[in-house]
Amino acid sequence: MDVPKWMYQRRSRLSRPVLYTAIMALLAILTLFAWTTLFPVSVSSGSLADIDHVVLFMQENRAFDHYFGTMAGVRGFSDPNVQITNGKPVWYQDVDSALTNASDYLLPFYLNYLGGSWEEATQCMIAGDNGWNDNHAALNDGLNNKWALNNTPWSWGHFTRKELPIHFALAEGWTVGDMYQESVIASTNPNRVSWISGSINAPGSPQSPDEGGITIDNNEIPGCQGPNLNCYPLKWKTTPEIYQSQGVTWQVYQDIDNFDDNALAWFQQYQLAPNNSQLAIHGMTFLGLDTFYAQAASGTLPEISYIVGPAELSEHPPYQPKDGAWLQRAVAEAVINSPKYKNTVLIISWDGKIPFADCEHKLIRFRNWRFR
């Protein structure tokens, strides 16, 4: 069959570029082969066995969406898989006439949409309540749609990269955990107790009720607020005690101003520990963050480090995110500049999202618990 003239012309036009491309590809392969033969490079992936040091650094009371909801590629405001209730995604928070008659819902809003001095004012803003009852009322048995009504409309406000350049740089430069969530939908103490011990002694936990009962509030008055509820002090075994029994070295780094954020101080065994005991030396002393920086620089950190910052750098409202960013940068740079950087894991977290809100609560099982 005769080839049509237009097809022949097209083949002629294509033949040379295709030939040139094939030649260049062949040359590239030969060059790569020669290079790897002359200069062999050993490439391997790392593993958990490479980790010598873990640095745990927990800040205060900020939510993922409140900080990172606008970040590209995360489960934030662009997440197409959020919960749907009555045909509307979770972004549409219920409102009533006591809040506004102009709308039937509240969407996430940029806190500094008015510009001007708001950019400074919102750094030290406060929001709603971070206790158990108000926040479980906002979660509405898992529908997660009552933040504006049962907490505050400010719970649905957010920052952007503009206000949080250090936060964004750390999250984008390394790894951001967009599905890591607070341990308890409650206030600071239960979440820090979980951070330091892996438990709040909820029903079904390996601890016994007489070791402190279930912990869901910030009670630090001796005794219990109810039968086996919010008891103080706590008495069950903490994670550092397990480390110690296995020969794993650990240390809490804190200054005298620690915003009462060292959860080990809420456990009886640490309160009663002699000054020369391992619990007191590693868990209750005030070595200061400068000691952490110095030991990171010399590569002599223990296997587990806990960072507890001062109040004004904690990011807890009304303390400013940009001040907390200064501390985050200092801790991160200490790790990055350490001779043991490649063998160190730094995990920065916040003890609770409340009083701000998140769209994702998929890891929570609601049991209709009510505490009075």
Side-chain angles (χ1 to χ4, degrees), residues 16 117 240 267 322 335 340:
R16 289 184 179 178
S117 61
F267 285 80
K322 63 182 181 182
V335 171
K340 299 299 294 289

Coordinates of all heavy atoms in Angstrom, one line a residue, residues 16 117 240 267 322 335 340:
R16 N 14.3 12.6 12.4 CA 15.6 13.2 12.9 C 15.5 13.5 14.4 O 16.4 13.1 15.2 CB 15.9 14.5 12.1 CG 16.4 14.1 10.7 CD 16.8 15.4 10.0 NE 17.3 15.0 8.6 CZ 17.7 15.9 7.8 NH1 17.7 17.2 8.1 NH2 18.1 15.6 6.6
S117 N -3.4 46.7 62.8 CA -2.8 46.2 64.1 C -3.3 44.8 64.5 O -2.8 44.3 65.5 CB -3.2 47.2 65.1 OG -4.6 47.3 65.3
P240 N 9.6 7.4 81.7 CA 11.0 7.5 82.1 C 11.4 6.4 83.0 O 12.6 5.9 83.0 CB 11.1 8.8 82.7 CG 10.1 9.7 82.0 CD 9.0 8.7 81.8
F267 N 3.4 13.3 89.8 CA 3.4 11.9 90.2 C 4.1 11.8 91.6 O 5.1 12.4 91.9 CB 4.2 11.1 89.2 CG 3.4 10.8 88.0 CD1 3.3 11.7 87.0 CD2 2.7 9.6 87.8 CE1 2.6 11.5 85.8 CE2 2.0 9.3 86.7 CZ 1.9 10.3 85.7
K322 N 4.9 33.7 67.7 CA 6.2 34.1 67.2 C 7.3 34.0 68.2 O 8.5 33.8 67.9 CB 6.2 35.5 66.6 CG 5.8 36.6 67.6 CD 5.8 38.0 66.8 CE 5.5 39.1 67.8 NZ 5.4 40.4 67.1
V335 N 19.9 20.8 67.5 CA 19.9 19.4 67.0 C 20.6 19.4 65.6 O 21.5 18.5 65.4 CB 18.5 18.9 66.9 CG1 18.5 17.5 66.1 CG2 17.9 18.7 68.3
K340 N 25.8 14.7 66.3 CA 24.9 13.5 66.2 C 23.6 13.8 65.5 O 22.6 13.0 65.7 CB 24.6 13.0 67.6 CG 25.9 12.6 68.4 CD 26.6 11.5 67.8 CE 25.9 10.2 67.8 NZ 25.7 9.6 69.1

